[in-house]
Amino acid sequence: MSTTVSTPPGTAPSTTVSTKPGAAPGTTTSTKIGTKANTEIEPEAEGAGQEADGGGWPDLPGDTALTIRVPEANPLVTAGFPAHVTVLYPFLNESRLTASTDAELRALFAAHAPFTLTFGAFRRYPGVLYLPPAPDTPVRALTRSVTARWPEAVPYRGIFDPPLAPHLTLANHEGPDTYEAAYDALESRFASALPLTAEVTTVDLIATDGPGRGWRDVTSYHLGG
């Protein structure tokens, strides 16, 4: 498939806090958070900021990612991209995707049963509002399976140690002086929508041609065969 989409898989606590509405991959921002210098990142404190040109993980031409779309959460997302939980970003460069790779991914994901995720609480990191999935163990299991087979595919290019926990970004457009009030308002607005439940039956492989070029569908892999 070649449909162009806007889902940025690297939407995790970046080394910076976004200050632009709907910040896209490659947005330059300011406040440093959650890098290897700050290695203890608790799941409750994780969110989904945007990468920065100078200090995050700029998308590279041919980058791919494996992601779970959660359309049930789209009405709650104000971050400028569809609701999703990242399984692995980045995966292999698109130039390395072959028929053999495709067959291995199909077999790998077929070995994992479909599962249900529940999003029942808001969480924050400076500049970020997100939902942690419960349980997150099925998502972590998918990530472990892929990285065990392709250990060179290091989550978030190794910027975060330990790696980030699964999360679904709702908003990441506020700066340090405004995010508390803005996200208080969003939580009040969306409180009645929680808990939100999603049935996960597929994992999507997407790719980008570089910063600002968006993300396009490559294919989908079914869980459980």
Side-chain angles (χ1 to χ4, degrees), residues 4 29 57 74 86 93 96 150 164 172-174 187 225:
T4 299
T29 52
W57 55 86
N74 279 337
T86 298
N93 189 273
R96 293 187 56 190
W150 291 280
L164 303 176
N172 63 352
H173 56 280
E174 295 289 340
E187 288 189 19

Side-chain angles (χ1 to χ4, degrees), residues 5 8 35 37-38 45 50 53 58 62 65 73 95 110 120 139 141 145 148 150 155 159 165 170-171 180 195 218-219:
V5 296
T35 64
N38 180 16
Q50 292 295 326
D53 290 331
S95 63
V139 181
S145 291
W150 291 280
I159 289 174
L170 298 181
E180 292 285 10
V218 177
T219 192

